[in-house]
Amino acid sequence: MSVSTEPAPVEARDRPSGQVELAIEGMTCASCATRIEKRLNRLDGVSASVNFASEHAAVSFDASNLSVADLIGAVEAAGYHASLPQEATQQDDPARIWLIRLLIAAALSVPLALLAWATPLQFSGWRWVSLALATPVVAYGGWPFHRAAALNARHLVATMDTLISVGTLAAWIWSVVVLVTGLHEGIYFDAAALITALILLGRYFEARAKRRSGEAIRKLLELGAKEARVLRDGQEVLVPVEQLQVGELFVVRPGEKVATDGIVESGSSAVDASMLTGESVPVEVAAGDQVAGATINTSGRLVVRATRVGAQTALAQIARLVSDAQAGKAPVQRLADRVSAVFVPVVIAVSLLTLAGWLAFAASAAAAFTAAVAVIVIACPCALGLATPTALMVGTGRGAQLGIVIKGPEILERTRQVTTIVLDKTGTVTEGRMAVSAALAAPGTEQTELIRLAAGAEDASEHPIARAIAEYGRAQLGALPEAEGFANQAGLGVQAVVDGHAVLVGRPAFLAEWSVKLPDDLNAQAQRLEEQGNTVVVVAWDGAARGVVAVADQVKASSAQAIAEFKALGLQPVLLTGDNERAARAVADQVGIERVLAGVLPDQKAAEVTRLQQQGEVVAMIGDGVNDAPALAQADLGLAIGTGTDVAIEASDLTLVSGDLRAAADAIRLARRTLTTIKRNLFWAFGYNVAAVPLAVAGLLDPIIAAGAMSFSSVFVVSNSLRLRRFQSRRETL
């Protein structure tokens, strides 16, 4: 599957690779995705994966025998709608559609419940008013469930929608029969309406959480430059980036984004590639070096020849990796759907057998129908429908208070199974910005003088290392001296006159050009600092080396404690970074990580996660950069640092709003606790049904009592879910 920035549906049909992405409409649960996937995979030469969360299907097919129209036809035959994403019309926000139905249902259900439960409010003809209030709720509010139940029945399957539809319709139909015939039996208009309203509430929150799941790729592509300064006839012409052609020359001024992938023809600069690589130190580039689109030119003017445009750029390739990883995830069926596939047909069959049995033993039709309806009512999925959404709402609400965003119920199951947690280094374990870690003066030189002159010279530079030294000097000494005659040699160092001293700050090779030799003792100290993962610059003035300054990406204060908490949760931490082995190992040793994967290129991170999965590990991944997005999507559980990029956040399953890594441990503990609560809720919801259905069959359970028991089960489920509000973060207790 490839990601194209040019919407051309016809070209998608003719794609020689035989790969296409389809937008799917009409899915209401994970079993729908499974049904579509099976239908597509029955076609010869087709391999399909349907993602319920993103509502897309990734399909590989034999283009010599099949067309996209054949694939769409297969989906349509299963009862759903499919189209190419470019052809899909703009639909209303699904969460908004659920909200409208919910508000109407709630507005009608509240007075209906008051009439049913408050005897003083019951006037002559109040039951007919109840019918008028309940009918729109059951018909309009419950229409999505009735439609899905009918579709499921065509395929001889049952899901939660079947339970909801059968339960609400049975309660409504029986109530209408009692009302019209004048039978002295209970009516359940309130039960039918309230069940519908509560289930709509759960679906609304599900839709709201799922709404943004498909935005990762769009936000990723938006990181790219919008315009390019193309050189035509020696003049700079500003054009939309879509018009840039391979082979054209374009100019990148300081502070601008590189328009597309290319090779530097002239100029030199430091390019900030952190949005792609996640690494904080800009890369020095000069003529002949490659640059990637969407990276930022920090200093000098560059002239670049475009080598890749559109869907071929590094940015678009990362988007493709995110899309591939998301589409490759098998849909996770909700626990209730799995059980209801067996439970619903059994309950319906038991209800029919109850009716037949009572009639066979010469019971009155009213008594037989009462017993049969009691079976349906006691099995009605009010508690079942609340089991997941209430726990999820309370758990995610508590998570939001702690800076943790859980994106859906299917994520919870993965937290229980995770065995390995992979951590990106820069911006995740470390701060993601350069800071001075040491300043060592040569014998005979005051450290304050070393800092003052070095910071004064670097204050005129925009390089991140220079900024770190200048900020350190300003924090230590206050105002810095003015630099005169400043000059920068890209990738090597700077020179300036500060307080009458000719100051040089840069790499040893830069000072060697000025015949300045680093003393043996300083050289040994510099090597020791580099072995610890620091970047070291030498400071000299008046022709002699006066000291060295070490700069490094600082480890977050909370990282070591977070690693200890991961280990306590039974997770093996792995450090994954594009840095060299020495720098990575230095950081790992500081925080207590034994396993390090260093020198991993951005497009290889997802492959490293896949390799761990192939070894039998269930992998969680924590990252913050665009380059982490494919790995976050590929991982069994993706956690994004909220201080990172929107793309990483959208591709993840859990988002940590703060940059505190300890929040990841809290997130996993909270997710596991929420999953446990959901399972307990489901156990109660099904358990009480299993216990009560035999009583209903025997005629020992009046429908009114059944409705009361159903209400009690709902109260229990909600109360159990509310216990999640007491979840405590380790950050709060330490």
Side-chain angles (χ1 to χ4, degrees):
M1 180 171 60
S2 63
V3 177
S4 174
T5 56
E6 302 174 4
V10 174
E11 290 179 11
R13 299 179 193 277
D14 299 329
R15 217 175 294 177
S17 61
Q19 293 182 323
V20 71
E21 182 178 341
L22 298 176
I24 309 294
E25 296 176 25
M27 293 190 294
T28 59
C29 65
S31 59
C32 296
T34 303
R35 191 173 308 121
I36 297 169
E37 193 171 282
K38 287 181 179 178
R39 180 62 69 100
L40 286 169
N41 286 327
R42 286 179 193 157
L43 300 175
D44 290 337
V46 170
S47 174
S49 175
V50 179
N51 190 312
F52 171 61
S54 64
E55 297 182 330
H56 280 73
V59 187
S60 298
F61 63 100
D62 183 355
S64 63
N65 295 324
L66 295 171
S67 67
V68 174
D70 295 325
L71 304 177
I72 292 175
V75 177
E76 301 280 354
Y80 305 88
H81 179 67
S83 62
L84 290 169
Q86 296 90 347
E87 296 174 342
T89 56
Q90 184 66 34
Q91 300 293 320
D92 290 334
D93 178 8
R96 183 174 177 274
I97 296 173
W98 285 114
L99 180 61
I100 292 172
R101 293 185 186 273
L102 170 63
L103 292 176
I104 294 173
L108 296 174
S109 297
V110 170
L112 175 58
L114 291 175
L115 282 176
W117 300 343
T119 304
L121 297 179
Q122 295 174 354
F123 51 86
S124 177
W126 70 271
R127 294 187 174 190
W128 291 98
V129 174
S130 296
L131 171 62
L133 291 172
T135 301
V137 178
V138 174
Y140 173 73
W143 171 249
F145 312 125
H146 306 321
R147 179 181 179 277
L151 179 64
N152 292 331
R154 283 175 51 193
H155 299 281
L156 303 178
V157 294
T159 66
M160 274 286 291
D161 292 315
T162 308
L163 278 172
I164 297 165
S165 179
V166 169
T168 55
L169 287 177
W172 184 87
I173 292 171
W174 170 252
S175 300
V176 170
V177 170
V178 170
L179 182 61
V180 172
T181 60
L183 294 175
H184 296 290
E185 304 289 347
I187 63 171
Y188 311 109
F189 289 126
D190 57 321
L194 287 172
I195 289 169
T196 302
L198 290 169
I199 300 300
L200 285 171
L201 178 66
R203 290 295 174 88
Y204 164 67
F205 279 105
E206 287 182 19
R208 193 176 67 169
K210 196 176 71 173
R211 177 174 54 193
R212 298 178 57 178
S213 63
E215 294 184 355
I217 295 173
R218 179 181 61 79
K219 288 195 173 185
L220 178 54
L221 294 175
E222 285 180 355
L223 287 177
K226 304 300 184 293
E227 295 179 318
R229 300 181 185 276
V230 181
L231 282 177
R232 291 176 179 170
D233 299 325
Q235 301 293 320
E236 293 183 17
V237 180
L238 197 62
V239 301
V241 72
E242 293 83 7
Q243 296 181 13
L244 188 59
Q245 302 294 319
V246 172
E248 284 192 301
L249 294 175
F250 62 93
V251 174
V252 189
R253 295 177 180 176
E256 292 183 342
K257 289 183 179 180
V258 177
T260 194
D261 295 2
I263 296 177
V264 177
E265 290 287 316
S266 64
S268 61
S269 179
V271 174
D272 179 1
S274 58
M275 72 285 297
L276 286 178
T277 66
E279 303 305 328
S280 55
V281 181
V283 179
E284 304 289 346
V285 297
D289 291 332
Q290 293 185 348
V291 290
T295 57
I296 298 174
N297 179 21
T298 63
S299 51
R301 177 180 183 272
L302 296 175
V303 177
V304 181
R305 184 177 299 279
T307 57
R308 292 185 294 186
V309 297
Q312 303 304 314
T313 63
L315 188 67
Q317 292 300 315
I318 292 179
R320 179 183 59 78
L321 290 171
V322 175
S323 183
D324 285 348
Q326 287 184 335
K329 287 182 179 177
V332 181
Q333 291 186 342
R334 282 176 280 183
L335 295 175
D337 275 339
R338 294 183 207 150
V339 181
S340 63
V342 176
F343 182 74
V344 177
V346 169
V347 168
I348 295 173
V350 169
S351 177
L352 294 175
L353 289 173
T354 300
L355 178 63
W358 277 78
L359 291 174
F361 284 96
S364 67
F369 198 64
T370 298
V373 169
V375 172
I376 293 291
V377 171
I378 199 67
C380 200
C382 189
L384 191 60
L386 289 171
T388 296
T390 55
L392 188 63
M393 282 188 288
V394 178
T396 54
R398 179 57 180 149
Q401 293 176 339
L402 300 174
I404 300 164
V405 179
I406 303 172
K407 292 193 175 179
E410 71 277 3
I411 283 93
L412 305 177
E413 291 184 82
R414 302 178 208 152
T415 64
R416 178 176 53 86
Q417 302 162 344
V418 168
T419 59
T420 300
I421 186 160
V422 176
L423 302 101
D424 172 58
K425 182 180 76 68
T426 305
T428 302
V429 177
T430 66
E431 296 287 356
R433 57 184 177 82
M434 306 301 287
V436 172
S437 56
L440 305 176
T445 301
E446 293 289 335
Q447 188 181 46
T448 55
E449 184 73 356
L450 173 74
I451 296 170
R452 192 172 72 87
L453 294 182
E458 294 280 36
D459 195 32
S461 173
E462 292 299 318
H463 195 285
I465 291 178
R467 287 201 300 269
I469 295 174
E471 288 172 5
Y472 180 76
R474 195 171 283 109
Q476 295 289 319
L477 307 173
L480 299 177
E482 293 288 335
E484 301 176 357
F486 174 84
N488 173 54
Q489 189 166 340
L492 292 175
V494 302
Q495 63 185 83
V497 176
V498 183
D499 283 351
H501 297 286
V503 180
L504 301 172
V505 184
R507 301 181 185 275
F510 177 59
L511 273 70
E513 294 181 3
W514 293 82
S515 301
V516 175
K517 185 177 183 298
L518 194 62
D520 291 340
D521 57 340
L522 270 183
N523 189 48
Q525 290 176 315
Q527 289 181 357
R528 177 177 55 81
L529 289 169
E530 287 181 343
E531 289 172 356
Q532 295 172 354
N534 295 278
T535 298
V536 177
V537 296
V538 182
V539 183
W541 62 80
D542 299 337
R546 308 290 181 171
V548 296
V549 178
V551 179
D553 186 5
Q554 299 296 299
V555 172
K556 292 179 181 178
S558 61
S559 291
Q561 182 185 328
I563 299 304
E565 291 188 26
F566 293 147
K567 292 179 178 179
L569 288 168
L571 308 177
Q572 181 189 28
V574 177
L575 188 66
L576 179 67
T577 179
D579 278 357
N580 60 64
E581 177 77 24
R582 185 175 61 186
R585 178 57 62 184
V587 170
D589 290 342
Q590 288 185 59
V591 298
I593 297 177
E594 291 81 25
R595 191 173 179 184
V596 175
L597 298 175
V600 180
L601 297 177
D603 59 353
Q604 295 175 344
K605 289 190 174 183
E608 288 292 334
V609 171
T610 302
R611 186 174 61 81
L612 289 171
Q613 291 170 327
Q614 290 172 346
Q615 294 172 358
E617 302 289 343
V618 180
V619 180
M621 168 77 186
I622 307 180
D624 72 326
V626 170
N627 67 306
D628 301 321
L632 288 169
Q634 176 62 42
D636 299 284
L637 181 70
L639 300 93
I641 300 292
T643 52
T645 65
D646 287 344
V647 179
I649 293 170
E650 293 299 335
S652 66
D653 302 310
L654 289 163
T655 299
L656 315 176
V657 178
S658 74
D660 191 336
L661 196 57
R662 293 176 298 177
D666 287 337
I668 293 173
R669 289 195 302 112
L670 176 60
R672 288 179 175 179
R673 182 82 59 84
T674 305
L675 176 63
T676 299
T677 300
I678 289 174
K679 287 185 173 181
R680 287 174 179 168
N681 287 348
L682 290 172
F683 174 80
W684 170 261
F686 282 113
Y688 115 93
N689 280 325
V690 170
V693 165
L695 298 177
V697 171
L700 301 176
L701 195 62
D702 186 88
I704 296 178
I705 298 175
M710 181 183 66
S711 299
F712 174 76
S713 71
S714 301
V715 172
F716 176 86
V717 164
V718 173
S719 300
N720 190 45
S721 298
L722 290 175
R723 296 172 60 209
L724 287 167
R725 292 189 299 180
R726 298 199 293 267
F727 176 86
Q728 292 294 313
S729 166
R730 297 284 170 83
R731 291 171 288 160
E732 294 178 335
T733 56
L734 293 174

